[in-house]
Amino acid sequence: MWLNENAPIHKRDLVLSKPFVNSAGILGFAPDPHKMPFVSNLGAFITHPISRKPRQPASNRACLPYPGGFLLHTGLPNPGISRSISRYKRAWAGAPLPVIVHLLVEDPESLAEMIRKLEGLENVMAVELGLPPDCDSEALRTFMQASVGELPVIPCLSPEQIPVLRETLLELSPAAVHLVEPRGVLPNAEGNLLTGRLYGPGTFPTMLHASRELLDDGFQLIVNGGISSKLQADTFLNAGAIALGLGSTLWHLKPEFLV
Amino acid sequence: MQTKLVEVFQIGSEKGGIFDLPKEAWPAPGQYMPCQRALGDSEPLIPQVFQVIGEEGHLNVAPIPEDWQPGDILTIGTPQGHGFTLPPDMRHLALLPYQVSPGRILCLMREALNMGAAVSLFSDAVPPVEIMNRLPAAVEVSPISSLLENLDWPDFLAADLERGDLPAFSTLFEQVDLKFKGQVLVRTAMPCRGVGDCGVCAVRTIKGWQLACADGPVFPIKDVLHVAQ
């Protein structure tokens, strides 16, 4: 059988030794076993979102609690891809678990540039694509094409993006899909509306509902789900998720079901 | 580590509590201590408490959640962050709670008095009665204008304020060459308690962006004055 030289070659294998990862934005840019004694119970470490150029904290950054969770709005501060690599590549290489670098996707050219810089870095096992909220099918196709390379690529989408992107994801058949926290809006103390990601146990029912469709489609699914108990974790794993993304439960003093 | 919530009390608008802990485990004034109920606590964000003025010889902390009750067993983390450090040669300590309760800043009072220093509290708001009742006669209470008219008096200033008030606080000292040293406790949400560098607690300093959870929450006053946030 001859290889079709026109068909793109995708690296498809994503193997996690344990079915837990952290959500992007929860544990910083590199694992620190001293601060994170639970890190040996994770199958991979996902970095904070990294963009091509440095980003500053948002002037209206906030953590807004509500019953069952909280909204986080930070502006996704990060030192940019070049400085992130120079600062953290040694920590990534020496980490006790593989690293997945989460990239903020802005345009295909900068995405391709960031991925080229990450290829060949020791212990970086994959990249995640943090898609813009208004990403449509065509844009997803372009981003995935720009991501083709040596590393498995994991597109991240939130529940509200599933109807828009599901069919294209089925065509593209990525190594895995990461279902991440939904976005929401809350007023801050001054009455201004802030948009951000929603974390906490209140998101569990929504995430479980959203995950079912993607699991039925046969995706290798990593899912964030406001998980705070073993029962909730088992519910996702028994449904077929390959891994669970843990969020604010990792900020607790003792995330018991990881022990 | 576990401890018991021995007693609860009201301090200004916050609920406080007394933890049954040996002194060597106490957070220093300005440091924070993450804690959560040992059983049945499903809150997504765990509280972080600060030492506040209260019954002497006991660890008084605030703010604690409204539904915590005496007898609750708590899991606590080690004290975190940088607290206040009073210089050993200090003779005049100015305490300035800017638009916040003086409960946290007054924790420095006892240490300063034991050092033989004079202590003055500068506040435009009258402290709540439960705080006033704990002030010894040696501690003067004066409006902030009194401090600004006598900037030669303190040799150390300890301030406490919300992060959003840093610009307004800076205007108090506009075109003033501070001759004294000082520190500022910057109040801001610290949801990841230093574990995740989430960025919510970012504070702009002369050294660039720093995180209150790890680099603070007490900062040298010259690092945060007149720095655009």
Side-chain angles (χ1 to χ4, degrees):
Chain A
M1 185 174 70
W2 295 100
L3 285 174
N4 181 350
E5 291 180 350
N6 295 322
I9 297 174
H10 300 284
K11 243 179 116 64
R12 300 206 183 280
D13 50 339
L14 183 78
V15 178
L16 297 171
S17 61
K18 297 185 177 97
F20 297 107
V21 297
N22 59 294
S23 307
I26 290 295
L27 292 184
F29 294 98
D32 181 347
H34 177 68
K35 285 197 300 187
M36 309 163 193
F38 47 78
V39 82
S40 59
N41 293 311
L42 302 179
F45 176 93
I46 300 181
T47 70
H48 264 356
I50 297 174
S51 48
R52 179 172 163 265
K53 290 189 176 174
R55 288 171 68 111
Q56 309 280 346
S59 59
N60 56 358
R61 56 200 176 277
C63 173
L64 301 178
Y66 64 93
F70 59 94
L71 179 149
L72 216 55
H73 174 69
T74 65
L76 304 175
N78 72 91
I81 187 67
S82 297
R83 205 167 293 171
S84 294
I85 290 172
S86 64
R87 266 187 210 172
Y88 301 112
K89 66 178 178 184
R90 273 186 211 85
W92 293 343
L97 71 175
V99 173
I100 298 174
V101 180
H102 185 107
L103 298 175
L104 275 179
V105 178
E106 292 162 301
D107 58 77
E109 292 75 27
S110 64
L111 174 60
E113 178 190 335
M114 289 194 285
I115 288 181
R116 292 294 90 75
K117 290 183 176 182
L118 289 168
E119 285 173 347
L121 290 183
E122 194 179 338
N123 204 32
V124 171
M125 77 180 304
V127 294
E128 277 198 340
L129 305 188
L131 300 172
D134 57 353
C135 181
D136 60 21
S137 297
E138 211 39 55
L140 174 62
R141 210 182 299 276
T142 309
F143 294 144
M144 291 296 288
Q145 182 59 37
S147 309
V148 168
E150 295 176 7
L151 293 168
V153 177
I154 309 168
C156 298
L157 65 164
S158 42
E160 62 270 19
Q161 293 177 298
I162 294 175
V164 177
L165 302 178
R166 180 175 158 264
E167 290 297 328
T168 307
L169 282 173
L170 280 167
E171 287 173 35
L172 295 171
S173 191
V177 172
H178 194 159
L179 182 62
V180 298
E181 292 81 4
R183 290 182 175 86
V185 181
L186 280 174
N188 64 8
E190 289 78 37
N192 301 316
L193 296 181
L194 290 187
T195 302
R197 294 277 185 192
L198 303 179
Y199 296 85
T203 63
F204 175 74
T206 301
M207 300 305 288
L208 183 58
H209 175 70
S211 70
R212 289 169 67 184
E213 190 175 3
L214 296 176
L215 288 168
D216 287 345
D217 286 337
F219 288 111
Q220 296 292 290
L221 188 66
I222 304 171
V223 56
N224 300 352
I227 298 159
S228 58
S229 73
K230 190 173 184 310
L231 174 62
Q232 291 174 337
D234 287 345
T235 303
F236 276 116
L237 293 173
N238 292 338
I242 64 167
L244 308 178
L246 303 176
S248 58
T249 195
L250 296 179
W251 292 346
H252 286 203
L253 288 168
K254 222 167 63 161
E256 289 183 7
F257 65 91
L258 274 186
V259 175
Chain B
M1 189 173 183
Q2 291 199 331
T3 187
K4 186 191 275 194
L5 177 59
V6 173
E7 202 178 301
V8 299
F9 54 86
Q10 198 65 27
I11 180 164
S13 60
E14 293 180 337
K15 183 172 179 176
I18 295 180
F19 285 4
D20 181 21
L21 273 181
K23 197 154 188 189
E24 52 268 22
W26 292 12
Q31 283 190 309
Y32 63 99
M33 190 161 68
C35 49
Q36 62 188 99
R37 273 194 296 213
L39 293 172
D41 206 346
S42 61
E43 286 300 317
L45 290 169
I46 67 168
Q48 290 136 18
V49 297
F50 292 78
Q51 204 186 143
V52 294
I53 188 174
E55 214 169 301
E56 224 177 302
H58 292 91
L59 176 58
N60 303 274
V61 298
I64 66 170
E66 285 298 323
D67 60 342
W68 285 13
Q69 296 299 326
D72 282 350
I73 303 298
L74 309 174
T75 301
I76 59 169
T78 53
Q80 293 182 220
H82 297 282
F84 288 101
T85 309
L86 298 180
D89 57 348
M90 176 191 71
R91 285 290 156 258
H92 300 114
L93 172 63
L95 302 176
L96 202 174
Y98 186 76
Q99 311 275 5
V100 297
S101 163
R104 293 182 199 179
I105 207 80
L106 280 169
C107 285
L108 294 170
M109 171 185 71
R110 192 57 59 190
E111 182 185 348
L113 292 173
N114 289 342
M115 288 165 64
V119 180
S120 276
L121 175 70
F122 296 95
S123 172
D124 287 342
V126 175
V129 62
E130 61 268 19
I131 291 179
M132 290 297 286
N133 288 344
R134 298 201 180 273
L135 291 186
V139 175
E140 281 194 22
V141 182
S142 305
I144 295 176
S145 57
S146 179
L147 169 66
L148 300 177
E149 288 160 8
N150 294 286
L151 285 174
D152 289 336
W153 179 80
D155 41 40
F156 195 84
L157 170 67
D160 179 10
L161 45 68
E162 295 283 349
R163 188 191 72 206
D165 284 333
L166 273 169
F169 177 74
S170 288
T171 62
L172 296 179
F173 303 101
E174 230 156 32
Q175 293 169 19
V176 169
D177 185 19
L178 292 185
K179 298 214 170 17
F180 49 80
K181 291 192 174 147
Q183 291 176 304
V184 179
L185 169 57
V186 177
R187 298 189 184 201
T188 179
M190 298 183 288
C192 79
R193 61 176 187 88
V195 172
D197 296 348
C198 70
V200 168
C201 69
V203 177
R204 197 76 184 255
T205 75
I206 58 172
K207 297 169 186 167
W209 287 103
Q210 295 195 305
L211 298 175
C213 62
D215 306 306
V218 174
F219 293 89
I221 193 169
K222 291 192 173 170
D223 283 8
V224 295
L225 267 190
H226 311 306
V227 179
Q229 296 296 318

